[in-house]
């Protein structure tokens, strides 16, 4: 029985390492994407997607290291807040840019709905 | 391992900084600031593990909120040129009553 | 203490001084009032960084003392005067601090943190009053550039004399 | 019997108040400020502010016997021993300034009612008096504290309150906002330089208590950190006290402020910053060391002389009266700085005496202008014409204060200038004496210009069309006349019996230079 | 000043170096850019990165405040003020550039001159770290039973400084009230609406934003109170909690409009709160006075055990600070959003 616990114990740190590095990789990829992509909307896409993925992976990794302590609860709370706010913020940025008639590089700028002069809600 | 992640996050933050400085469009800058904030939150969590003190996570939690509020303020500022207009109307009591009466 | 060790020891101060001077430069050189206040913010924040780098102790931890004082006796009478004049308390303190910091754990110096908490709040208070003034200046002169304001004043004075 | 019982009841309160007077001097106005925010009805807020400032003055008077008796008082906040806690240390130097600031607070409040009712709209008077009380608390806090960082905190309270009070003048003159903004930027740069200085001192000594710092850096006056700290504190406080090259914010700030604020600030704000510089230079740093000596002779003395001459010349060309008086304030500050830079007991005593007398002169002059503006809407020098006939008493007091500014014998100004000359000759600074004389001659010109328009010109015909200032009700204008006459009388009284200010100034100078940080 | 301490270089110095590099980049960028919006954003980033640096320098409380106040509230305030002004600053005139460059060079030289005698970084035997600082670390626990030495020094040993600081905030709140007023009439007539809110766009229901912030706001207020009462054990205290709770109300105002926020937290309550906090703080001090000891002495608050008295005193002043800071931040926000001159497109 104790060997299973030991294996789990060692595996825990190994798994945490994998999560952390994976998360780090995603965040770095997103950052490079934001820098190199030509147009606002593509950058937004790069930042939004990788942020959420990267943050979940990194926070999971840290929670594995922290184990069942108050610290993990705080990390979970940070994860929850990031999970709630960062997509919302990205949505809000996209909405505002769209309303400010920012033209995407490819494709045409089209109102979301016929006859709605300012572009309506979602 | 944690140290490697910290370095990666710092690299990502510097890239975001580059986008913030170069960003031709205004909204590129908004995007850069917002994602710089999220990456700082992650950096704070990982860094507080690196130095072995649990307090950095509190600050990360705080800045996750502040970053959201800042971005909403920026967007409202550019979208409506006013901070005090209601972004979305809460259905006031009489509309709810009307809706209630109708359904 | 050769050049490299000196540099390693004092590099923080040099960077903080450069940041301070950048902040001061922004405040003095710009004519735009909002940029002036931002420069003031940068200047004050870098002064706070000078204070905090002073207080860091190598290998120290944030000054949150662990609850159980393992055995280190505390001669402090609770809260009352020591009776000793400030002169020899200073000598006693410097003497016995070298060996065992607080119950075996090294902590960073808490005083700069206390001072800077006050400094940050004072900085925000000044920023708020400055921005309120900018709002009113903008309403009266329709611009927040010092040149436009001086121009408007010059015209008003000329009109008054004419 | 009731007398004994009453006395029995009062005595414990008096002794309790006596021992706890140091914090109460600052805390009463500090806590009265927030209460004043709610008193909307105009006169109620004014009455509350007046009562509080009189109470503060009483607390300062309670301090006097203790300081004169045993040299200095030390009061530990929260009973923590000094290097740990904050300590209030009062000796004859800050007692003199405390007396001055609280007395001017009471006088400007008594004087200010008609002016406030004339210039500040009804809804904002409660908050105006709250800001005034907080400014008073801040100035008293800077004067009384013995802790280096505490000086910065209370300096900020008084500065922010002053920026707000100056910007309140915008109802009368729209340029008040710009003046307040420039004052804010220059003041914050000054305060931040001061914080850098205190930080460097802390880096060199390890404590924040002034007496403790002095003890720790006594031997290290060649240490570069201590020298840099000295330079930054002198520049920071120089900005706050409008020392010559850093004075550009003061004229427009005092000219645009509401007249009651002008009266209070002209006689106290820069004086408190000057006190802080004297306290730091003489109590914390060692005045004897070569570096400080060099700074005295090469920096402070030339700045003082430059201030005396250049600002007096600028005062000549001013049209707006308050700007003229503001420039002459900077010139008079040059006198005090000259006294300080001599570094001798006689010099510092003369500088402090001039500080006391200047508060009387400038307070009376600003009151005179405020009183006249009630009747005739005075902003420029020409508006003063015919004041001799229309308001004889105000004109008389204004003349007495003007003569005292010039330093004509029979007035207090002469006394302090005389001691300054004596101290300068003792130091062998003949060029300082020459500057004193030139500056006094220039003062004769710009004061003479005002007196001449007052007495020799015809009063403006009060034509219906010209929008004259609303006639202040007779009762309050009498109320305003009282302090003005009192100040003018003080200008004369302190010529004959200068024992009180002179005694305190000499005791302060001896305490500073004689025993160092005794 | 013992000169023989050599600062060891380890893994953390690399992180410090990168943070310093970022600070320098942001500082120089603020100097060169003239687009005010970018400057405001860079100022927020600057104080955020310096908050990170404070964390690595073991100043956790300061990092907390700097992140909450410097990066959060200042950005919203700057936006509030910037809203009413043009978007690009005029470049500085060359003569002024050179003049300020020389002034800055002189001040910098004075500071560099002093660097040589400064104790090296992290030296435990340097004057500041070996004298009163260490005495606080030793005495704080037995005296006040509060682990977070910064909170105990802030509130009890140097409590008078914090009273001064709370009065600074009150003065600033008072100033903004006097200069801008808190809404309602501007010289007689109700505020002109910059945009008539009835057009189709304003009816847009940002359901996503509304739902998310409805979930977030109670959590933020709860977190604020956690920070307030957790202040004795970890980073936190009256200031940070006040700012967090104020930012929760500001978020509510941003989403549901300032009028809804004014209905929830009326300006009168906010004005009373600003004054009340300072009175609570001063009152605790006077309580010590009345119970026979010096001003701001908490030992006498509980006759049985002095440390408990200290805890009681520190708790009550932190609450006073919380009320004042929260109310003043709202006073300032109401003040900025109450002024609403219409912005011509020229500026936009």
């Amino acid at each position: 029985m104790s060997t299973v616990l030991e294996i789990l114990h060692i595996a825990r740190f190994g798994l945490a390492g994998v999560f952390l590095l994976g998360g780090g990789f995603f965040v770095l990829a997103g950052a490079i994407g934001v820098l190199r992509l030509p147009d606002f909307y593509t950058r937004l896409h790069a930042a939004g997607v990788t942020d959420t993925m990267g943050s979940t992976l990194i926070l999971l990794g840290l929670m594995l290291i922290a184990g069942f302590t108050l610290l993990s609860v705080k990390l979970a709370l940070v994860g929850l807040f990031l999970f709630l706010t960062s997509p919302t913020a990205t949505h809000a940025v996209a909405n505002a840019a769209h309303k400010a008639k920012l033209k995407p590089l490819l494709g045409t700028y089209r109102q979301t709905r016929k006859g709605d002069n300012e572009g309506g809600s979602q | 391992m944690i140290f490697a992640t910290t370095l990666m996050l710092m690299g990502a933050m510097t890239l975001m900084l580059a986008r913030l400085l170069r960003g031709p469009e205004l909204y590129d800058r908004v995007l850069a600031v917002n994602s710089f904030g999220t990456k700082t939150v992650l950096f704070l969590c990982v860094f507080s593990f690196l130095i072995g003190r649990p307090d950095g996570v509190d600050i990360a939690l705080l800045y996750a909120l502040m970053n959201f509020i800042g971005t909403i303020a920026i967007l409202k500022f550019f979208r409506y040129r006013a901070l005090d207009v209601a972004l979305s109307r809460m259905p006031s009591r009489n509309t709810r009553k009307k809706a209630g009466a109708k359904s | 203490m050769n050049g490299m060790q000196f540099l390693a020891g004092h590099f923080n101060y040099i960077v903080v001084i450069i940041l301070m001077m950048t902040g001061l430069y922004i405040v003095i050189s710009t004519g735009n009032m909002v940029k002036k206040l931002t420069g003031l913010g940068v200047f004050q924040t870098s002064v706070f960084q000078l204070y905090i780098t002073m207080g860091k102790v190598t290998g120290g931890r944030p000054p949150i003392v662990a609850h159980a004082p393992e055995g280190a006796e505390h001669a402090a009478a609770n809260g009352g005067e020591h009776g000793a004049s400030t002169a020899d308390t200073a000598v006693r303190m410097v003497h016995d601090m070298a060996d065992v910091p607080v119950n075996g754990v090294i902590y960073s110096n808490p005083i700069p943190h206390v001072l800077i908490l006050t400094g940050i709040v004072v900085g925000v208070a000044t920023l708020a009053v400055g921005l309120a003034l900018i709002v009113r200046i903008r309403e009266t002169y329709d611009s927040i550039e010092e040149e436009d304001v001086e121009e408007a004043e010059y015209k008003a004075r000329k009109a008054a004399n004419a | 019997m009731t007398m004994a019982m009453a006395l029995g009841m009062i005595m414990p309160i008096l002794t309790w108040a006596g021992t706890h007077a140091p914090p109460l001097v600052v805390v009463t106005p500090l806590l009265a400020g927030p209460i004043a925010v709610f008193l909307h009805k105009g006169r109620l807020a004014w009455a509350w502010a007046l009562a509080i400032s009189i109470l503060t003055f009483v607390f300062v008077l309670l301090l006097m016997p203790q300081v004169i008796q045993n040299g200095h008082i030390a009061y530990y906040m929260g009973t923590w021993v000094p290097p740990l806690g904050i300590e209030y240390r009062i000796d004859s130097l800050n007692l003199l300034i405390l007396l001055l600031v609280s007395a001017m607070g009471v006088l400007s409040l008594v004087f200010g009612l008609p002016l406030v009712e004339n210039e500040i709209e009804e809804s904002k008077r409660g908050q105006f008096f709250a800001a005034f009380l907080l400014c008073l608390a801040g100035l008293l806090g800077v004067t009384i504290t013995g802790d280096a960082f505490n000086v910065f905190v209370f300096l900020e309270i008084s500065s922010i309150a002053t920026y707000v009070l100056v910007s309140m003048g915008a109802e009368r003159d729209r340029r008040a906002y710009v003046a307040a903004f420039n004052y804010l930027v220059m003041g914050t740069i000054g305060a931040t330089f001061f914080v850098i200085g205190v930080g460097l001192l802390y880096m060199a000594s390890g404590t924040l208590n002034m007496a403790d710092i002095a003890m720790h850096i006594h031997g290290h006056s060649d240490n570069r950190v201590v020298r840099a700290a000295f330079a930054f504190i002198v520049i920071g406080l120089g900005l706050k006290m409008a020392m010559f090259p850093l004075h550009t914010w003061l004229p427009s700030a005092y000219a645009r402020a509401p007249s009651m604020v002008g009266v209070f600030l002209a006689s106290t704000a820069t004086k408190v910053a000057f006190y802080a510089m004297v306290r730091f230079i003489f109590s914390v740093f060692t005045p004897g060391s070569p570096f400080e000596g060099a700074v005295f002779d090469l920096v402070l003395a030339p700045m003082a002389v430059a201030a005396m001459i250049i600002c007096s010349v600028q005062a000549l060309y001013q049209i707006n009266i308050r700007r003229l008086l503001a420039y002459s304030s900077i010139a008079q500050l040059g006198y005090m700085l000259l006294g300080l830079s001599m570094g001798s007991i006689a010099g510092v005593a003369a500088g402090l005496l001039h500080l006391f007398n200047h508060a009387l002169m400038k307070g009376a002059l600003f009151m005179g202008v405020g009183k006249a503006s009630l009747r005739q809407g005075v902003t420029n020098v020409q508006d003063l014409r015919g004041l001799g006939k229309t308001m004889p008493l105000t004109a008389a007091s204004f003349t007495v204060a003007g003569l005292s500014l010039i330093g004509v014998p029979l007035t207090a100004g002469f006394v302090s200038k005389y001691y300054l000359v004596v101290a300068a000759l003792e130091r062998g600074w003949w060029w300082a004496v020459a500057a004193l004389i030139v500056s006094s001659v220039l003062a004769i010109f710009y004061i003479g210009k005002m007196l001449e328009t007052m007495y020799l010109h015809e009063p403006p015909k009060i034509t219906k069309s010209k929008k004259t200032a609303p006639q202040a009700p007779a009762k309050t204008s009498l109320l305003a006349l009282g302090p003005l006459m009192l100040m003018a009388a003080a200008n004369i009284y302190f010529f004959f019996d200068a024992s009180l200010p002179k005694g305190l100034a000499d005791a302060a100078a001896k305490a500073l230079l004689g025993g160092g940080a005794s | 000043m013992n000169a023989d301490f050599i600062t060891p270089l380890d893994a953390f110095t690399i992180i410090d170096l990168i943070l310093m590099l970022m600070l320098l980049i942001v500082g120089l960028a603020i100097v060169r850019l003239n687009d005010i919006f970018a400057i405001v954003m860079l100022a927020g980033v600057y104080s955020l990165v310096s908050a990170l640096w404070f964390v690595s320098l073991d100043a956790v409380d300061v990092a907390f405040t700097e992140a909450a106040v410097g990066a959060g509230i200042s950005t919203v305030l700057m936006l509030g003020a910037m809203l009413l002004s043009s978007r690009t600053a005029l470049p500085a005139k060359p003569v002024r550039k050179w003049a300020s460059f020389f002034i800055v060079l002189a001040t910098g030289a004075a500071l560099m001159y002093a660097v040589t005698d400064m104790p090296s970084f992290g030296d435990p035997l340097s004057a500041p770290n070996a004298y009163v600082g260490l005495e606080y670390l030793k005495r704080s626990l037995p005296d006040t039973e509060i682990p977070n030495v910064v909170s105990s020094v802030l509130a009890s040993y140097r409590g008078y400084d914090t009273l001064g600081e709370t009065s600074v905030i009150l003065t600033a709140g008072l100033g903004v009230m006097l200069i801008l007023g808190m809404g309602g009439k501007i010289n007689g007539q109700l505020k002109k609406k910059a945009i008539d809110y009835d057009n189709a766009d304003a009816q847009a229901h940002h359901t996503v934003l509304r739902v998310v912030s409805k979930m977030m706001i109670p959590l933020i207020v709860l977190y604020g109170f956690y920070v307030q009462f957790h202040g004795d054990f970890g980073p936190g205290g009256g200031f940070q909690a006040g700012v967090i709770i104020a930012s929760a109300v500001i978020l509510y105002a941003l989403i549901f409009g300032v009028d809804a926020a004014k209905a929830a937290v009326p300006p009168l309550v906010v004005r009373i709160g600003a004054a009340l906090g300072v009175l609570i703080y001063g009152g605790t001090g006077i309580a010590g006075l009345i119970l026979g000891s010096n001003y701001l002495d908490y030992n006498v608050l509980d006759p049985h055990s002095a440390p408990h008295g200290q805890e009681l005193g520190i708790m009550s002043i932190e609450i006073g600070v919380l009320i004042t800071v929260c109310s003043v931040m709202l006073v300032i926000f109401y003040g900025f959003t109450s002024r609403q001159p219409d912005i011509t497109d020229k500026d936009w």
Side-chain angles (χ1 to χ4, degrees), chain E residues 44-90:
Chain E
V45 165
Y46 182 85
S47 56
L48 178 62
V49 176
S50 62
L52 293 184
W53 193 13
F54 289 154
V55 170
S56 85
L57 289 172
D58 291 343
V60 189
D61 269 87
V62 180
F64 207 103
T65 321
E66 181 69 28
V69 169
I73 291 284
S74 303
T75 320
V76 175
L77 292 188
M78 288 283 226
L79 282 174
M82 221 188 75
L83 178 69
L84 312 155
S85 58
S86 62
R87 278 268 313 286
T88 48
L90 299 177

Side-chain angles (χ1 to χ4, degrees), chain D residues 20 26 37 75-76 78-80 83-84 88 124 127 147 150 154 157 164 193 203-204 207 212 223-224 227, chain E residues 1 107 113 116-118 128 131-132 136 139 156 158 160 164 168 174-175 178 271 289 293-295 297 310:
Chain D
H20 293 296
V26 177
V37 170
Y75 184 93
Y76 303 151
T79 64
W80 298 115
L84 288 179
Y88 267 5
K124 293 193 174 178
Q127 293 156 11
D147 187 280
N150 210 317
F154 278 90
I157 294 179
V164 171
F193 267 69
M203 194 186 274
T207 65
D212 222 9
N223 181 327
R224 292 184 173 185
R227 286 184 178 174
Chain E
M1 314 300 147
T107 345
Y113 164 81
T116 42
D117 269 358
M118 287 187 185
Y131 181 30
V132 187
Y136 279 138
R139 291 195 51 173
S156 162
R158 294 186 64 87
Y160 195 67
V168 164
L174 210 59
L178 277 170
R271 195 210 292 250
L289 213 55
S293 169
N294 279 359
Y295 189 69
D297 179 14
Q310 290 283 345

Side-chain angles (χ1 to χ4, degrees), chain D residues 158-349:
Chain D
S158 63
S159 308
I160 293 183
T162 322
Y163 308 146
V164 171
L165 288 174
V166 165
S167 74
M168 289 293 291
E171 272 121 30
R172 187 165 52 90
D173 172 357
R174 67 177 188 157
R175 291 166 295 196
Y177 290 127
V178 181
F181 183 78
N182 288 337
Y183 185 11
L184 181 134
V185 170
M186 296 281 271
T188 314
I189 292 179
T192 315
F193 267 69
F194 180 69
V195 168
I196 296 175
V198 169
L200 292 173
L201 267 183
Y202 175 68
M203 194 186 274
S205 67
T207 65
L208 284 168
N209 184 317
M210 285 197 211
D212 222 9
I213 295 177
M215 203 172 57
H216 274 78
I217 61 170
H218 192 61
H220 308 276
S221 69
D222 58 350
N223 181 327
R224 292 184 173 185
V225 174
V226 172
R227 286 184 178 174
F230 182 82
F232 273 93
I233 285 179
V234 163
I235 297 172
L237 290 177
L239 250 163
K240 280 283 174 188
M241 99 182 170
M243 194 163 67
F244 170 65
L246 314 164
H247 65 290
T248 45
W249 54 269
L250 189 120
S252 52
Y254 284 8
R256 311 280 186 255
S259 23
M260 176 202 158
V261 173
V263 167
F264 181 64
L265 290 186
S267 42
T268 51
T270 44
K271 314 272 174 305
V272 169
F274 179 78
Y275 151 76
M277 184 180 267
V278 167
R279 171 64 74 196
F280 267 93
I281 285 182
F282 289 105
S283 288
V284 176
F285 295 96
T286 48
S289 72
F291 175 72
E292 272 84 4
V295 166
F296 280 176
D297 300 341
L298 300 179
V299 173
L300 292 184
M303 288 303 154
V305 169
M308 279 197 277
I309 295 174
I310 295 173
C311 286
S312 301
V313 166
Q314 274 179 322
L316 265 176
Y317 293 107
Q318 294 306 324
I319 304 159
N320 181 324
I321 286 191
R322 289 200 182 86
R323 281 183 78 87
L324 188 146
L325 292 177
Y327 273 111
S328 98
S329 285
I330 304 166
Q332 301 295 323
L333 208 81
Y335 286 73
M336 303 174 212
L337 204 60
L338 186 70
L340 177 127
S341 60
M342 286 179 204
S344 62
I345 293 183
V348 171

Side-chain angles (χ1 to χ4, degrees), chain E residues 107-192:
Chain E
T107 345
L111 276 167
M112 285 297 178
Y113 164 81
V115 163
T116 42
D117 269 358
M118 287 187 185
S120 44
F121 174 59
D123 163 13
L125 305 183
S126 74
N129 298 343
Y131 181 30
V132 187
L134 211 55
E135 184 66 14
Y136 279 138
L137 286 169
K138 286 182 187 161
R139 291 195 51 173
S140 163
L141 205 54
D143 278 354
T144 57
E145 277 169 12
I146 286 186
N148 186 355
V149 179
V150 173
S151 293
S152 81
V153 171
L154 185 77
S156 162
Y157 292 103
R158 294 186 64 87
Y160 195 67
D161 257 0
T162 319
L163 172 63
E165 183 188 321
T166 323
S167 322
V168 164
I169 308 171
L170 172 70
T171 324
L174 210 59
V176 171
M177 257 196 270
L178 277 170
I179 296 171
L180 296 178
M182 271 206 290
K185 283 180 279 308
I186 309 171
N187 35 49
Q189 21 86 11
L190 257 179
K191 175 161 61 77
K192 309 198 296 304

Side-chain angles (χ1 to χ4, degrees), chain B residues 13-101:
Chain B
M13 281 161 68
T14 357
L15 294 175
M16 280 299 131
L17 215 55
R19 170 52 59 197
L20 177 64
L21 298 184
R22 214 152 46 110
E25 271 304 312
L26 158 85
Y27 287 94
D28 292 330
R29 291 209 166 112
V30 174
L31 161 71
V33 166
N34 181 34
S35 74
F36 182 87
T38 349
K39 289 180 175 48
T40 330
V41 168
L42 295 177
F43 170 77
L44 270 168
C45 294
V46 176
F47 187 66
S48 65
F49 266 71
L50 192 65
I51 51 175
R53 295 291 303 166
D55 312 315
V57 179
D58 287 352
I59 304 170
L61 195 53
L62 163 81
Y63 196 70
L65 308 175
M66 281 296 165
N67 191 22
F68 179 59
I69 295 170
T71 313
I72 298 298
I74 295 167
L75 294 169
K76 244 190 95 165
F77 169 79
F78 278 103
R79 178 67 214 93
Y80 293 95
R81 288 196 206 160
L83 284 182
D84 63 350
V85 76
L87 256 185
S88 63
R89 292 267 175 284
M90 270 196 298
S92 59
R93 261 183 304 290
N94 42 34
T95 45
R96 250 185 266 119
K97 262 206 294 319
K98 249 187 284 144

Side-chain angles (χ1 to χ4, degrees), chain A residues 17 20 24-25 27-28 34-35 40 43-44 51 55 58 71 74 78 81-82 85 89 92-93 99 102 118, chain B residues 1 5 8 12 15-16 19 25 27-28 31 34-35 38-39 42 46 49 54 57-58 61 65 68 75 79:
Chain A
L20 275 173
F25 166 73
V27 167
L28 204 58
V34 163
L35 202 59
F40 164 72
R43 287 186 201 126
L44 188 66
D51 261 0
S55 56
I58 289 182
L71 196 55
K74 281 189 192 162
V78 170
F81 276 157
L82 276 185
T85 55
V93 172
K99 288 243 171 59
L102 191 66
E118 276 293 301
Chain B
M1 170 192 39
T5 327
M8 278 201 226
L15 294 175
M16 280 299 131
R19 170 52 59 197
E25 271 304 312
Y27 287 94
D28 292 330
L31 161 71
N34 181 34
S35 74
T38 349
K39 289 180 175 48
L42 295 177
V46 176
F49 266 71
V57 179
D58 287 352
L61 195 53
L65 308 175
F68 179 59
L75 294 169
R79 178 67 214 93

